[in-house]
Amino acid sequence: MGLSRKAWNNVVIFSMLIMIFFLNGLHHKLNPQQTEFERVMVLPEQSFVLAMAYPGVKIERIGTTWRIDNKLIEPAQDEYSEQDLVRIVQQWQSLELQTVAPQQFNPDSAISVVTFWLAGEELPLSYQLYRTQEVYFLFAKRQQQWLELSADTAKQLFKPIEI
């Protein structure tokens, strides 16, 4: 007993779909598309920063105000007004950077690190700062992404520790 005309049509249709599926996958393996680098927000949009820390310096939200706890130099607490602290946090919250190809740095060669504790996030976000000549790179550990930033931007973002 052979297949009916309708059954043979179904066999041909499914065979063609399978062939298209495999050829499409093969095409992507033979011609990998260039990884597109895009601009991304460093912190998640609409994130609520509870605290951020640089080595030896912690900026934290106390109610509706901000305070800096500087373990390195005691008088440094007076150097920053609440507006200065708000400005630093807002710079990070609005920061959009260009993603770049993975960089080859020794993880121990980071010149600084910044860690953020966000409302609703169980684990903190951590970013390591690296430098080559006048180009700075941030490595977003959780996303495993490299981001490029200018020297001026790096100095503004890491102002409390003066990189």
Side-chain angles (χ1 to χ4, degrees):
M1 178 174 213
L3 295 174
S4 69
R5 183 175 177 99
K6 188 176 180 181
W8 274 113
N9 284 343
N10 286 339
V11 168
V12 170
I13 290 170
F14 281 108
S15 298
M16 294 301 286
L17 288 173
I18 290 170
M19 190 172 73
I20 290 169
F21 174 75
F22 283 118
L23 289 177
N24 191 34
L26 182 63
H27 165 71
H28 287 297
K29 288 208 185 289
L30 293 176
N31 292 328
Q33 294 178 340
Q34 290 286 343
T35 305
E36 290 189 27
F37 298 113
E38 58 191 1
R39 292 188 70 77
V40 296
M41 296 295 293
V42 173
L43 295 178
E45 286 190 60
Q46 305 298 322
S47 58
F48 189 79
V49 177
L50 300 174
M52 61 184 290
Y54 302 100
V57 177
K58 187 171 187 178
I59 299 172
E60 56 190 346
R61 184 184 299 269
I62 305 296
T64 58
T65 62
W66 291 91
R67 87 168 176 190
I68 188 167
D69 181 15
N70 187 336
K71 296 175 181 74
L72 298 176
I73 307 168
E74 284 303 316
Q77 287 185 357
D78 299 332
E79 290 180 23
Y80 294 98
S81 68
E82 185 181 343
Q83 289 81 14
D84 293 333
L85 300 178
V86 168
R87 194 172 310 114
I88 291 168
V89 173
Q90 286 176 342
Q91 282 177 323
W92 278 101
Q93 286 180 306
S94 63
L95 185 61
E96 190 176 312
L97 295 175
Q98 181 74 33
T99 58
V100 294
Q103 303 296 307
Q104 299 300 317
F105 286 105
N106 177 349
D108 297 333
S109 69
I111 57 175
S112 191
V113 66
V114 62
T115 305
F116 291 91
W117 287 268
L118 305 176
E121 293 278 336
E122 195 171 313
L123 298 172
L125 293 177
S126 181
Y127 299 91
Q128 294 172 324
L129 182 68
Y130 295 88
R131 184 175 87 188
T132 62
Q133 278 76 3
E134 286 304 307
V135 179
Y136 287 82
F137 296 98
L138 269 183
F139 179 62
K141 288 183 85 170
R142 186 184 293 179
Q143 296 89 344
Q144 293 292 299
Q145 270 185 332
W146 286 92
L147 308 165
E148 184 178 347
L149 64 159
S150 69
D152 289 339
T153 303
K155 288 178 176 134
Q156 287 175 358
L157 295 173
F158 287 82
K159 187 176 181 176
I161 58 170
E162 298 179 19
I163 55 169

